Amino acid sequence: MIPRARAGTLALAACLALPAVAAAGTSARMSAAFNPERLGAPTTVSFAFRVADEGLAPTPLTGITLTYPRGLGLATSDLGIMACPPLALETSGPAACPPDSRMGAGSATVEIAFGPDLVPEQVTLTLFAGPSTDGYLHLLIYARGESPVQAGVVLTAVLARGQIAITVPPIPSLPEAPYVSVTEMHITLGGNLTYYETVRRRSIPYHPAGIGLPDTCPRGGFRFASRLAFLDGESASTRTVVACPGSHRG
């Protein structure tokens, strides 16, 4: 059996870049969405993609860069107001992180080759804010597999204004077997999160507003782009557009 943690690491990395056309022989689709869709209001931002290679496992990723509209407040939201210690997350899982560090969640499907067969693996994803010494928002992305092997892996990413960047190391599966490959990913920044603030020495729960949509829409909609680098030396670039939503009223 393949350790789910290894599958989760590669899937995690892929979650922040959404290809439309990949390396030779590989095809992919991507999408992005806001919920709710109201200008001038807080929202969640979701990304999803699927990669295929004519019955074979897609080539593993080695690097991802996702660019997004600068007016979209991913790096300036009220999410991730505390930092989760990376070592604590790695050794103890999400329970070791302050609630105010959680930034989102998702899921992934990866494939591993067993001879002529491709075996899918399911991975859950949880995003936290990590420590930063350079002024940028650092993300800790925790991947958890429950079956056949219970294991967790932490991957890091950097979120700057207009860009999310991540490095994907090759993740081995079995000796002499190909590296793990991602086939599908869904991830959401924001969502149903509970934070806490201290008021008169009492810890009061609240729900952070999330990511703010600007009051006006860019001409032609919100444009996203990504560049993916693959283990075989190939790379791919793709774009997608989220149509302009309505304005927030009240």
Side-chain angles (χ1 to χ4, degrees), residues 51-98:
V51 182
D53 193 0
E54 299 178 355
L56 302 175
T59 303
L61 298 167
T62 59
I64 303 164
T65 301
L66 171 67
T67 59
Y68 60 89
R70 289 182 175 268
L72 190 61
L74 290 182
T76 59
S77 73
D78 61 352
L79 300 176
I81 60 176
M82 295 187 68
C84 177
L87 182 58
L89 177 60
E90 183 175 359
T91 57
S92 301
C97 296

Side-chain angles (χ1 to χ4, degrees), residues 156-210:
T156 61
V158 180
L159 195 159
R161 188 183 179 192
Q163 178 177 286
I164 302 172
I166 192 166
T167 299
V168 187
I171 309 300
S173 52
L174 293 175
E176 307 301 326
Y179 291 120
V180 173
S181 298
V182 63
T183 59
E184 191 169 350
M185 173 64 60
H186 302 268
I187 190 165
T188 296
L189 290 167
N192 186 23
L193 306 176
T194 300
Y195 286 6
Y196 295 85
E197 63 178 343
T198 301
V199 178
R200 297 179 181 178
R201 299 183 181 181
R202 294 180 58 190
S203 183
I204 307 299
Y206 72 96
H207 299 294

Side-chain angles (χ1 to χ4, degrees), residues 153 225 227:
V153 171
R227 181 183 181 277

Side-chain angles (χ1 to χ4, degrees), residues 208-235:
I211 297 164
L213 283 179
D215 293 330
T216 59
C217 184
R219 179 176 296 180
F222 291 90
R223 301 178 184 275
F224 296 84
S226 61
R227 181 183 181 277
L228 294 86
F230 294 88
L231 188 61
D232 59 5
E234 298 290 334
S235 63

Side-chain angles (χ1 to χ4, degrees), residues 18-21 30 224-228 236-240:
L18 308 175
V21 178
M30 66 168 289
F224 296 84
S226 61
R227 181 183 181 277
L228 294 86
S237 298
T238 183
R239 300 175 182 273
T240 192

